[in-house]
Structure formats: structure tokens, C-alpha cells
Amino acid sequence: MEFSSKILERAVNEVSQLPGIGKRTALRLVLHLLRQPKAQTQALTEALQTMRNDIKFCASCHNISDNTLCEICSANNRNSEIVCVVEDIRDVMAIENTSSFKGLYHVLGGKISPMDGIGPHDLNIETLVNKVKEGKIKELIFALSSTMEGDTTNFYIYKQIQDYNVVTSTIARGISVGDELEYADEITLGRSIVNRIPFETSLKS
Amino acid sequence: MEFSSKILERAVNEVSQLPGIGKRTALRLVLHLLRQPKAQTQALTEALQTMRNDIKFCASCHNISDNTLCEICSANNRNSEIVCVVEDIRDVMAIENTSSFKGLYHVLGGKISPMDGIGPHDLNIETLVNKVKEGKIKELIFALSSTMEGDTTNFYIYKQIQDYNVVTSTIARGISVGDELEYADEITLGRSIVNRIPFETSLKS
């Protein structure tokens, strides 16, 4: 792509570093900013700068937070003995949206993935294990995605805490609500039969 | 979407102002920046600021440029008597990529579109008409997209310059190279028959 301006080229190159944004999309975004008032670009760049420089992570659960402890960890109407282990803050947001969990979270910051060079020490696993060792947690719910990396991470954590007095569970895998059986993949359908639940229980949820 | 941090929320809101980027994508982009070194966010925001504040438009053709005259207008190996009228600088880049045009451009900055509140005076039409009046242009090639707005804009400009000594043409409409006839739309196929060209000419291009 040939640019008539070095300044434009630099802006397009920087924007196209973002994941999923190619040069053409970057050019479209940059030209859009150029047609908007200068204040919009100003607001965008300031928000990004502030975000990158000032954002904090909760000292307890590693969720993104404006304070030392995040809103969830510092709320007094939540059960701090049940902890849901997630990969990313987006998972916290997704679970919070369901309003069905009233415990705390622990954000690992990724999954163990030797292919990507991510080992256990790159993740927030030690602080989680310490919380278990200190007896602060009664139940740990693994809510990682069910991939090889997710399963590896679950198992790694499980091995570290299995000698302590803590109940572990994973979120249920099964057919999505509203999905038709014939389109479900075999593994999910198989698991949903093996892990079937009493009909009376299903009536309550 | 509930955010655990106001700083994060502000960054996501700003990014999601960009066209085609929703809140979820914005969150993904912002979290990506957070995982990268601070220098990347710094470089991105600086490039955008510089772009918005320092970019110039060519005084002659209104293309984006770092100088008063753009590289194309100031090149001395181009025929300044043939001018290709385009909507956007992306069209300039697209035509330049073909290496088949050695004249100059005139970037209108949009199309006449009463529905979007864009009239002739919002576009760079007057400077084009003046160039024609001054006798600087021998041929004007309309290369706007063939929509109602594009045709309206072509016709509006044509009416303003028809009494002056200038040849006008539009880019050829027809079946794309490599396309199969059976999938072409009727209007394009119809035009490609009406505007057929001598076979000997087609051998040369």
C-alpha cells in the first residue's frame, strides 16, 4: 500500500498492529478520525494513555480495578469462600452478567500454553494456591474454556491444592439453552448425557 | 456491559466510537494494549495525535499530503492536463496501485448526498471547476462509484463545466476480469454489451 503522506502511513501502521485490524481497516479508521473534530482523536488518545498508564489490578483477584481491591472483592454481600477461577477479565464480566454467582473471582491472566511460551509462572496461580493454603477458600470453581490448554491449567492447579481441604468443581458442559440436539457436537452431547441432572433440579434453574 | 474500572470503561467507550467497532471488539483491543509494553500504546496515541493535528491536504488536488503540494501533483513526469475525479484518497491509492494512470487527481472528499446532508458546497467541487475554467485541464475522467449519489455528483460537475473546452469521460463499467458472465448483474452485463470495444483494442490492454 502506497501512502501519499508519511504521517498517515505511520498512523495506519500503528493502528494495524491491533489484533484483527489489517491495513485497509486501519486506513478506514484513520480517515474516519480525520473527518471528525480534533476533540474526538484527543479524547481517544487520552483515554488510551490513561488506561495504559494508570490502570491497576486488584491485589486479591487480579481483576482490573481503579483501586487496590476491586469492587467485587471489596463488596460485603459476597461469599469470599467460593472462588471462581477464570482466564480473563472478560470472563468475569460474562459471569457477572448472568447474576447467578455471588462468590469471588480469581483471574489467571491466561492459560498454560507451552506452544505460546506461557508457563504456570506467567499466570496468577501462586496467589491462588496461597489463598487455598491459608484456608480462605472452601470451594474452587474452574471456569476456563474447555480446550487442551484450559484442561491443562485446571489440572495443574488441582494438583497443587488437592491435599488441602477445598472442594473443586468445574462449570457444567452441555447443550446450550435453545440449541437443537442434531447440531450439537458429539463430545458435548456425550458429556451432557453422562453428566445428566435430576429433572427436579432442572426445574429450579 | 458492566466494567470493574471507570478508566477501562472510558477507553472502551472511546474505541467503540470508531466505525464498525462495537463494545466487545473495543474491549478486546484495549485488553490487548494492556498486555503489550507501554511503548506500543504510546506510539499508537502519538501517531494518531500527529496525524490529526499535522496532516495537510494538497492545495491543488486535496489529497492527503505532508507538504503544500502532494507528491503526485508535484511530480514532473505526470500529465497535468488529464485529471481523474475521485471521491476519497483511498480511490487515489487504488488507481495508483494499477500503475495505469499518469495524470493528476482531484479528490472531492465525498459524493453529493442530500440524504446525509452533503451538498455540492461541502465537497471540493469549486476548485475543480476553477481549474477547468482556467483552461488547465484537457480531459476530466469521472471515477466515482456508480451509485445514485456518484451519478448525481458526476452530472452536477458536468453541468458546471460543459461550456468549457474540456473532454469528459467516465471509467468503463463492465464485467470484472476473471468473473463469470452468468453471475454478473443485468445492468453491468447490459452496459458491457452496449459499450463494447473493438477486439483489437482489448488485445492491447
Side-chain angles (χ1 to χ4, degrees):
Chain A
M1 212 182 249
E2 287 267 348
F3 291 91
S4 56
S5 150
K6 293 273 170 246
I7 296 175
L8 180 70
E9 182 168 10
R10 192 177 139 221
V12 169
N13 283 342
E14 286 297 335
V15 174
S16 65
Q17 305 268 314
L18 294 170
I21 296 195
K23 291 257 168 144
R24 273 167 191 270
T25 309
L27 179 62
R28 193 163 55 83
L29 297 179
V30 163
L31 291 179
H32 170 83
L33 284 177
L34 217 48
R35 279 192 295 268
Q36 304 299 311
K38 285 188 181 179
Q40 185 173 339
T41 307
Q42 185 73 25
L44 171 66
T45 55
E46 271 180 19
L48 289 178
Q49 287 273 14
T50 310
M51 187 273 302
R52 190 62 189 86
N53 294 324
D54 297 353
I55 232 165
K56 294 191 192 75
F57 292 91
C58 173
S60 173
C61 74
H62 308 281
N63 190 5
I64 286 176
S65 167
D66 292 342
N67 306 303
T68 316
L69 274 187
C70 75
E71 284 176 17
I72 297 173
C73 286
S74 55
N76 48 23
N77 61 347
R78 303 191 71 121
N79 183 350
S80 68
E81 295 183 325
I82 304 180
V83 169
C84 183
V85 180
V86 295
E87 203 183 310
D88 199 286
I89 78 137
R90 280 181 289 178
D91 304 325
V92 174
M93 291 166 73
I95 298 175
E96 281 297 285
N97 275 342
T98 69
S99 308
S100 60
F101 180 64
K102 287 295 165 200
L104 303 185
Y105 296 91
H106 188 92
V107 181
L108 296 177
K111 291 172 291 193
I112 296 173
S113 172
M115 293 281 280
D116 304 313
I118 302 172
H121 299 289
D122 300 313
L123 305 175
N124 303 315
I125 291 180
E126 208 183 323
T127 48
L128 176 64
V129 172
N130 286 342
K131 276 192 259 182
V132 174
K133 286 183 182 170
E134 289 163 15
K136 287 182 183 165
I137 302 177
K138 292 245 169 76
E139 183 178 355
L140 217 55
I141 304 171
F142 292 116
L144 304 197
S145 45
S146 83
T147 57
M148 179 127 76
E149 290 82 10
D151 291 345
T152 306
T153 313
N154 288 342
F155 193 67
Y156 179 88
I157 298 173
Y158 175 74
K159 290 301 270 182
Q160 308 250 320
I161 58 165
Q162 62 178 344
D163 299 332
Y164 296 90
N165 184 23
V166 61
V167 177
T168 49
S169 58
T170 77
I171 54 169
R173 308 291 175 186
I175 309 298
S176 293
V177 177
D179 259 16
E180 299 198 36
L181 286 206
E182 57 179 322
Y183 299 121
D185 67 289
E186 292 158 23
I187 299 175
T188 305
L189 188 54
R191 282 216 210 172
S192 77
I193 291 173
V194 173
N195 301 322
R196 63 194 176 277
I197 56 166
F199 186 66
E200 291 82 5
T201 312
S202 77
L203 291 177
K204 289 175 203 150
S205 63
Chain B
M1 212 182 249
E2 287 268 346
F3 291 91
S4 57
S5 150
K6 292 273 171 248
I7 295 175
L8 180 70
E9 182 168 11
R10 191 177 139 220
V12 169
N13 283 342
E14 286 297 335
V15 174
S16 65
Q17 304 268 315
L18 294 170
I21 297 194
K23 290 256 167 142
R24 272 166 192 271
T25 309
L27 179 61
R28 193 164 54 83
L29 298 179
V30 164
L31 291 179
H32 169 83
L33 283 177
L34 216 48
R35 279 192 296 267
Q36 303 300 311
K38 285 190 182 178
Q40 185 173 338
T41 307
Q42 187 72 25
L44 171 66
T45 55
E46 271 179 20
L48 288 178
Q49 288 272 14
T50 311
M51 186 274 302
R52 190 62 190 85
N53 293 324
D54 298 353
I55 232 165
K56 294 191 192 75
F57 292 91
C58 172
S60 174
C61 74
H62 308 282
N63 190 6
I64 286 175
S65 167
D66 291 342
N67 305 304
T68 317
L69 274 188
C70 75
E71 284 175 18
I72 297 172
C73 286
S74 55
N76 48 23
N77 61 347
R78 302 189 71 121
N79 183 350
S80 68
E81 293 183 324
I82 304 181
V83 169
C84 182
V85 181
V86 295
E87 204 183 310
D88 199 284
I89 79 137
R90 280 182 288 178
D91 303 325
V92 174
M93 291 166 72
I95 297 175
E96 281 296 286
N97 275 342
T98 69
S99 308
S100 61
F101 180 64
K102 287 295 166 200
L104 303 186
Y105 295 91
H106 189 91
V107 181
L108 295 177
K111 292 172 290 194
I112 296 173
S113 171
M115 294 280 280
D116 303 312
I118 302 172
H121 300 289
D122 300 312
L123 305 175
N124 303 316
I125 291 180
E126 207 183 324
T127 48
L128 175 64
V129 172
N130 287 342
K131 278 192 256 182
V132 173
K133 285 182 182 170
E134 288 163 15
K136 287 181 183 166
I137 302 177
K138 291 245 169 76
E139 183 179 354
L140 217 55
I141 304 171
F142 291 116
L144 304 198
S145 45
S146 83
T147 56
M148 180 127 76
E149 289 83 9
D151 291 345
T152 306
T153 313
N154 289 341
F155 192 68
Y156 178 88
I157 298 173
Y158 175 74
K159 290 301 271 182
Q160 307 249 321
I161 59 164
Q162 63 179 343
D163 298 333
Y164 297 90
N165 184 23
V166 61
V167 176
T168 49
S169 59
T170 78
I171 55 169
R173 306 291 174 185
I175 309 299
S176 292
V177 177
D179 259 16
E180 299 198 39
L181 286 206
E182 55 180 322
Y183 299 121
D185 68 289
E186 292 158 23
I187 299 176
T188 306
L189 188 55
R191 281 216 209 172
S192 77
I193 290 173
V194 173
N195 301 323
R196 63 194 176 277
I197 57 165
F199 185 67
E200 291 82 4
T201 312
S202 75
L203 291 176
K204 289 175 203 151
S205 62

